[in-house]
Amino acid sequence: MAYRNGTVEATLRPDRNMVLVIGTGFDELFLPDFAAGRLCYGGPDVLYLMSDGGLGHDMHVVLEAWDAEPSPAPGELTDSTVVSLARPGIYVSRLTESAASPVLDLPEPGDYVARVSVTGRRALPAVRAAASGDRRPVEHVLVQLWPSTPSIDVNS
Amino acid sequence: MSVLAAALLSVTAVAPAQAAPPAPQQAAPSAPPPPAPAPTEKPAEKPAPVDPARSSSGLVPRAQAGAAEAKAGLRRSTPPIDPDHKVTAEEFRVRAERSTSKSYVPAPPSSSAGLIAPQVAPPATPTKEFADECAGSYAASADEVGYVKNRYEWCRNMIAFHNIIDTRGNRSGYMWMDLTLIGYGRDDGTRNMRFFARPNIVLFGGSYTPTTRVKLNVVCLNNLSSCSQGDGESQTMAEWFAQTVTGNWLDFTLASDGAGGSGAELVQRNYFGAQITFLDGVPSYNGPYGWRCDSARYFASTRTAACVFFDVVPHLQYWLTNNDGTRSRHHAVAEHIRQAQDQPDTTHPPRPDGLPKVIPGKYTGEVAEDTALERISSDTTAYTENVNAKDRACNRIPTPDDMERPQCDEYPFATTWQGAGRGPGDFSVKYVPGSENESAGASLLAYYNSDRILWLPEDFFYVQILDNQPGDGRADGRPVVSAGPNQFGDEGEAVRLYGTVRDDSPQVVNRWTWVPQEGVDEGAECTFSDPRAPQPTITCDDDGVFRVTLTADDGVNPPTSASATVTLANVAPLAYFDNPSPWQLFKVNDQVSVNVPFSDVTNDRVSTCRIDYDQNGQTVYSWQTTTRTCGHAHVFNSAGMYTIEMRVTDDDGGTGIATVLVVVYDPNGGTANIDGSTGTPQGALTADPNVTGDTYVNMAAAYYTTSGPPAGVTKSWIQNHGFRMESTGLQWLVVTRDNKVAVRGDARLADGTVVQYVLYGWKNPDRIRLVVWNGTGPAIYDNSRSGEYDIDRIDPKVMKSGAVQIHR
């Protein structure tokens, strides 16, 4: 039985199709192979959350801390990766410049599995066609984090 | 010659460049001269005072060293900038423009995934890679701002020199040091910068001895209340030299505490410089160079403070093609930006007012407010306006169907003040493949971090689009040439040049050339020991100032040259008497043939011979010659001892002097007797210098034939002492018209020692001098020691008893 230890959230507009979730020990970016077309890319203190490339919408991001692998959340799309945290905290950032969310505390530094579930993308074409400038978040991203164990195969 | 050998040579072989040569010595193996006087200590020449008008010192970029050293009287002893100077963004922009170095941020993402904006902290010592890069960097040696590879790496190659010229015009001391100073900025939360220095070549001499201390420091030049520096490193010249062998680096730190800094970032802009303090305590400076520290909080939590070099135009580079020929990860974005910068009116959307678009941000090396980009926060209205304007424009163009995850790219970036939401519509949008847009976006964020671009209006940056992936930021590959320090020497001397050439090509060809610069006679010639070697010798046959130039050609770039001066002093001719020989004996009215060969550096030039036969100026003759001999003949018509002097003067006024003493006797000139005593001065008798008894002499001599030698006897003894000499034969007798007499003969001492002697006598008052010797070495006895043996130039001692008698 897995327990959720904390939740933080933020709503912001993706920049160049991405929202960056970073650890409190974040120091440097890594460059993923974006050609893989994944929902997320994890690395040292960075988790790239990829939007669908649409225009004019915000992304609602929820970060959840779990003590073990939780049950999968319902979503249109899911993906998972591993984030290596130098310090036990992570938050949604505005282009790494500032925090868009509170810090989600985690029990300790180390590797965490990040399972990403996305909903709302089916509505994006309609938003795009309307080009109304409606800023309501139509894309919802849930990131469930729990301590990684060596047996978990990620990014495969 | 190795650098080590060259430096040692320079330490041990220093001599005043313009010292007069010693008077030529004569050799006369066949005619035994009187003994040389006892060696005496030459009084130490009092050092001449320093001539400030001719001395010089400085700490200058390597490329300017030759010109600086040529400026007599130059002493850059004051800091190059007012300590109260307030730095403006504008002046930093101007300075950055002056840099010719290809400074740019660390390359954006490589073709493989990985960390792309590592935190920067100074290394424990400079990396060999960067040290080598600096050594070969033209900018490091020549640019006003040094070589600013990027905001975190900087270096300068410079020359410290101090030439001490005294009031006699001699160079009484010098030091010359080729230094490399490397600086590292940082963004690891610490507001300081570290510098490392080491000498590459060290030369010194004269008053700069191995124990002379010279101090180097990296110093704050302004904002002194908020900038702190270390004490510097004081080392002896021997230690500086040793560093050229060990390659060890000296370590310096500058710090900025942030107090009084501007804005939320606590920005402080300062200038720093290198400072060297010479043996006389006078400093010289090199600089100023710009640096900036901040405490911005919008970088990573580990990068809450940083210090960067600021004399550079920051720019992000995107390129179209990787080194391996593949398409770059941001290819389409690079193409879009190039189109926007170079052909803005072909991009979408057109300006609402219909005017041509001028889209800023293209990197040209120049900096101006209306061409630059300025970063803004993504948490600002301006950013939101940029994104909204971009979205509106993108919605009006079709989404490509055949593109991988098409995304709408905008330029200028939404994170700049110049983005789509600002101004009259000078922006562009275009659909690009999603992965390339995302890669470009990540690279932009990395760039902001790696180049420490602040949210400040004046922290301008640019974007450069390259066809191909850039290299590692090296300079342009031109050879870096130094002609070394200005050199001094004598005409005819092989003067060592200390040129250096650094180039990445093994094919580089060096060539030394020379031209007369000042005070050189027409027709003068110089030769290099090896004109293709960096450190050959140059030999010139005339004095004056010569300009030597070392040119390096790598066959790719235009040849690079550097010059220095070689100042050569005139060397007087070296003359000697080949004939007559010293103490050669002539009978009165016989012809004396004179032959004085001389050597001179200058070939085929006119020299002047002037001979003085030592007859009260009555027989002095001058003439010119183009040969290397002064020949003459003369007849002495009276007995005497004559010091013939020949002066040989070259075309530059240098004079060599040779003298020879000849003896002229007259068989009919009279006879002489000397009987009596004189005091025995301290030191007269070498074997017993404290003897005090009087010296007695008894001499009678006369010519009984016209061909000589004279007949007679000479005896001498010291009262109450065992010294006693008795002649065994006479060689000659001179009786002068002014009542002086000299007789030379062979003799034997009481202990049987075979000796020779000369006894001089003067009339009115009666005075005598006796010189006794056997072979070489100091005289056994001489009661008036001096270097003179000419009867007219000696100082005989007054007789206590008896007299000098001359009979004619």
Side-chain angles (χ1 to χ4, degrees):
Chain A
M1 185 68 178
Y3 291 93
R4 188 174 65 188
N5 295 323
T7 301
V8 298
E9 59 185 299
T11 299
L12 70 168
R13 181 177 293 196
D15 187 280
R16 292 192 185 240
N17 201 45
M18 64 183 78
V19 166
L20 287 162
V21 178
I22 60 176
T24 52
F26 165 73
D27 181 61
E28 55 187 312
L29 280 171
F30 77 100
L31 180 66
D33 180 6
F34 291 108
R38 299 180 58 173
L39 283 179
C40 59
Y41 302 91
D45 284 301
V46 179
L47 173 65
Y48 288 88
L49 301 178
M50 308 309 292
S51 181
D52 83 327
L55 303 171
H57 73 277
D58 283 355
M59 177 188 281
H60 179 238
V61 180
V62 176
L63 306 182
E64 293 181 348
W66 292 80
D67 63 352
E69 180 178 0
S71 300
E76 299 165 5
L77 298 165
T78 62
D79 197 354
S80 62
T81 185
V82 170
V83 181
S84 299
L85 298 177
R87 298 177 189 170
I90 195 167
Y91 60 94
V92 183
S93 80
R94 293 187 183 89
L95 300 180
T96 75
E97 301 168 353
S98 58
S101 76
V103 173
L104 176 66
D105 293 325
L106 295 166
E108 58 186 5
D111 290 349
Y112 286 83
V113 178
R115 186 166 64 200
V116 177
S117 304
V118 179
T119 59
R121 289 199 175 179
R122 292 188 185 123
L124 284 177
V127 172
R128 191 174 303 143
S132 62
D134 186 350
R135 300 299 304 274
R136 287 177 300 173
V138 293
E139 190 173 27
H140 300 272
V141 177
L142 172 64
V143 181
Q144 296 171 305
L145 295 149
W146 68 90
S148 173
T149 60
S151 61
I152 293 178
D153 182 19
V154 296
N155 278 341
S156 58
Chain B
M1 178 182 291
S2 69
V3 172
L4 173 63
L8 289 176
L9 179 65
S10 73
V11 171
T12 57
V14 174
Q18 298 173 10
Q25 299 298 310
Q26 301 176 20
S30 59
T40 55
E41 287 283 332
K42 183 181 178 184
E45 190 174 4
K46 185 179 180 181
V50 173
D51 183 353
R54 301 176 70 179
S55 300
S56 61
S57 65
L59 183 61
V60 298
R62 184 187 282 161
Q64 298 173 12
E69 290 177 80
K71 293 179 181 175
L74 176 70
R75 295 223 72 177
R76 292 178 175 171
S77 57
T78 56
I81 196 164
D82 188 333
D84 296 326
H85 179 78
K86 301 300 181 189
V87 183
T88 65
E90 175 61 22
E91 71 188 60
F92 266 146
R93 285 202 293 274
V94 171
R95 291 172 57 81
E97 284 185 352
R98 291 178 188 160
S99 171
T100 63
S101 59
K102 292 182 177 178
S103 304
Y104 62 95
V105 299
S110 61
S111 57
S112 60
L115 302 174
I116 53 176
Q119 183 187 77
V120 179
T125 61
T127 62
K128 181 179 185 304
E129 180 186 21
F130 189 48
D132 290 345
E133 189 175 333
C134 288
S137 164
Y138 175 79
S141 299
D143 273 13
E144 177 184 348
V145 298
Y147 173 41
V148 193
K149 179 177 181 179
N150 53 57
R151 285 188 157 182
Y152 298 95
E153 294 176 285
W154 170 92
C155 63
R156 165 63 92 195
N157 296 318
M158 53 193 169
I159 305 295
F161 68 94
H162 189 192
N163 290 313
I164 304 171
I165 310 297
D166 66 23
T167 52
R168 298 193 188 105
N170 294 328
R171 188 173 60 161
S172 58
Y174 70 91
M175 67 83 72
W176 189 93
M177 195 186 308
D178 182 311
L179 282 163
T180 294
L181 179 64
I182 290 178
Y184 287 100
R186 65 198 308 162
D187 70 346
D188 61 348
T190 304
R191 289 180 66 121
N192 72 30
M193 308 187 87
R194 290 187 71 186
F195 295 85
F196 300 91
R198 73 179 179 193
N200 304 305
I201 302 174
V202 175
L203 305 172
F204 60 96
S207 50
Y208 272 93
T209 70
T211 60
T212 304
R213 300 193 81 84
V214 168
K215 180 181 174 183
L216 180 69
N217 202 4
V218 179
V219 297
C220 308
L221 295 178
N222 70 327
N223 284 344
L224 302 183
S225 62
S226 60
C227 175
S228 59
Q229 64 196 43
D231 295 332
E233 295 284 350
S234 177
Q235 294 197 136
T236 65
M237 293 309 298
E239 289 170 328
W240 285 111
F241 171 72
Q243 257 191 291
T244 66
V245 179
T246 64
N248 292 337
W249 294 90
L250 299 175
D251 189 356
F252 308 88
T253 300
L254 289 182
S256 167
D257 62 8
S262 64
E265 293 93 345
L266 300 177
V267 173
Q268 283 179 326
R269 296 180 180 85
N270 299 310
Y271 285 116
F272 74 90
Q275 178 197 57
I276 195 161
T277 306
F278 299 104
L279 64 79
D280 55 3
V282 175
S284 280
Y285 294 85
N286 181 259
Y289 304 106
W291 63 302
R292 182 196 76 187
C293 293
D294 72 79
S295 298
R297 294 286 175 172
Y298 40 83
F299 296 96
S301 60
T302 55
R303 309 188 192 197
T304 52
C307 292
V308 299
F309 296 100
F310 211 62
D311 292 330
V312 65
V313 182
H315 56 289
L316 165 65
Q317 292 178 325
Y318 290 118
W319 61 93
L320 302 175
T321 306
N322 295 322
N323 283 335
D324 60 5
T326 58
R327 178 186 176 102
S328 73
R329 286 177 173 240
H330 40 245
H331 178 94
V333 173
E335 278 189 331
H336 175 211
I337 295 174
R338 173 172 282 182
Q339 181 183 2
Q341 291 179 340
D342 295 344
Q343 299 172 295
D345 288 318
T346 67
T347 63
H348 180 81
R351 262 175 66 144
D353 57 13
L355 295 175
K357 288 200 288 190
V358 179
I359 298 179
K362 181 177 182 178
Y363 174 76
T364 63
E366 297 180 349
V367 186
E369 190 171 355
D370 58 352
T371 63
L373 302 179
E374 298 156 279
R375 184 188 180 190
I376 59 173
S377 164
S378 60
D379 195 19
T380 58
T381 301
Y383 171 78
T384 302
E385 289 173 348
N386 287 342
V387 173
N388 289 340
K390 168 242 183 179
D391 285 353
R392 287 194 297 272
C394 290
N395 275 328
R396 290 195 284 271
I397 57 176
T399 304
D401 295 330
D402 55 350
M403 183 178 285
E404 173 240 335
R405 295 192 295 116
Q407 295 177 10
C408 193
D409 177 40
E410 84 279 18
Y411 180 81
F413 313 119
T415 49
T416 64
W417 185 253
Q418 289 73 24
R422 317 286 308 171
D426 288 329
F427 70 97
S428 170
V429 296
K430 185 178 185 179
Y431 274 95
V432 297
S435 63
E436 295 183 7
N437 189 46
E438 292 156 359
S439 290
S443 296
L444 176 62
L445 296 181
Y447 168 75
Y448 286 152
N449 278 276
S450 63
D451 225 7
R452 198 74 180 183
I453 304 298
L454 301 179
W455 293 340
L456 296 179
E458 66 267 27
D459 199 8
F460 297 152
F461 73 97
Y462 290 83
V463 182
Q464 183 180 30
I465 304 301
L466 304 171
D467 291 333
N468 298 300
Q469 187 173 359
D472 59 0
R474 290 182 67 90
D476 57 11
R478 280 181 292 178
V480 178
V481 180
S482 168
N486 294 333
Q487 291 294 77
F488 300 82
D490 294 333
E491 62 177 7
E493 175 190 353
V495 176
R496 178 70 62 184
L497 303 174
Y498 293 97
T500 57
V501 175
R502 292 187 173 92
D503 191 67
D504 50 9
S505 167
Q507 307 301 322
V508 66
V509 175
N510 310 320
R511 182 169 53 89
W512 281 99
T513 55
W514 67 273
V515 293
Q517 180 168 300
E518 182 180 349
V520 179
D521 294 337
E522 189 175 345
E525 290 291 339
C526 296
T527 57
F528 295 98
S529 59
D530 180 356
R532 291 177 178 270
Q535 299 182 350
T537 60
I538 183 173
T539 306
C540 301
D541 66 1
D542 194 21
D543 62 326
V545 181
F546 298 82
R547 185 156 200 82
V548 291
T549 300
L550 175 59
T551 301
D553 187 351
D554 63 4
V556 178
N557 298 287
T560 305
S561 297
S563 295
T565 60
V566 177
T567 303
L568 301 179
N570 185 45
V571 175
L574 181 63
Y576 63 95
F577 272 87
D578 183 53
N579 192 56
S581 54
W583 293 80
Q584 187 169 346
L585 184 63
F586 296 92
K587 190 164 73 173
V588 70
N589 293 325
D590 282 354
Q591 178 173 289
V592 178
S593 295
V594 173
N595 184 39
V596 178
F598 63 90
S599 61
D600 192 19
V601 173
T602 305
N603 292 317
D604 303 326
R605 309 252 173 84
V606 175
S607 301
T608 301
C609 306
R610 179 183 181 274
I611 193 166
D612 183 343
Y613 287 103
D614 192 19
Q615 292 179 299
N616 299 318
Q618 301 301 307
T619 50
V620 178
Y621 308 96
S622 295
W623 68 99
Q624 291 186 322
T625 181
T626 55
T627 68
R628 286 290 170 269
T629 298
C630 294
H632 205 253
H634 185 62
V635 172
F636 290 96
N637 57 12
S638 61
M641 298 176 75
Y642 299 96
T643 301
I644 305 173
E645 178 188 275
M646 180 72 83
R647 289 175 174 260
V648 183
T649 303
D650 66 15
D651 60 339
D652 293 310
T655 299
I657 302 174
T659 59
V660 67
L661 175 66
V662 298
V663 178
V664 178
Y665 73 95
D666 182 355
N668 301 312
T671 62
N673 294 82
I674 301 176
D675 290 288
S677 65
T678 184
T680 305
Q682 177 92 10
L685 185 63
T686 302
D688 189 358
N690 296 320
V691 63
T692 55
D694 290 343
T695 297
Y696 285 79
V697 296
N698 173 262
M699 185 278 286
Y703 280 97
Y704 294 102
T705 66
T706 57
S707 58
V713 65
T714 303
K715 295 178 182 177
S716 177
W717 63 96
I718 298 177
Q719 185 182 24
N720 301 323
H721 192 274
F723 175 79
R724 183 177 181 84
M725 181 197 78
E726 189 164 338
S727 65
T728 56
L730 303 188
Q731 296 178 15
W732 47 256
L733 167 68
V734 169
V735 179
T736 70
R737 290 179 177 174
D738 57 350
N739 294 322
K740 295 171 184 169
V741 59
V743 60
R744 174 169 173 168
D746 303 307
R748 192 182 300 276
L749 300 184
D751 62 2
T753 302
V754 175
V755 298
Q756 296 186 63
Y757 71 94
V758 178
L759 176 63
Y760 302 90
W762 283 14
K763 287 291 293 177
N764 302 322
D766 291 357
R767 293 185 285 172
I768 60 173
R769 178 191 182 191
L770 175 65
V771 183
V772 182
W773 74 97
N774 67 334
T776 59
I780 293 173
Y781 178 93
D782 187 346
N783 66 325
S784 181
R785 292 183 187 270
S786 75
E788 289 291 349
Y789 299 96
D790 185 327
I791 194 172
D792 298 316
R793 303 183 182 197
I794 62 171
D795 181 24
K797 301 306 178 187
V798 175
M799 297 182 73
K800 286 186 170 181
S801 64
V804 175
Q805 294 180 315
I806 295 173
H807 311 283
R808 299 186 190 277

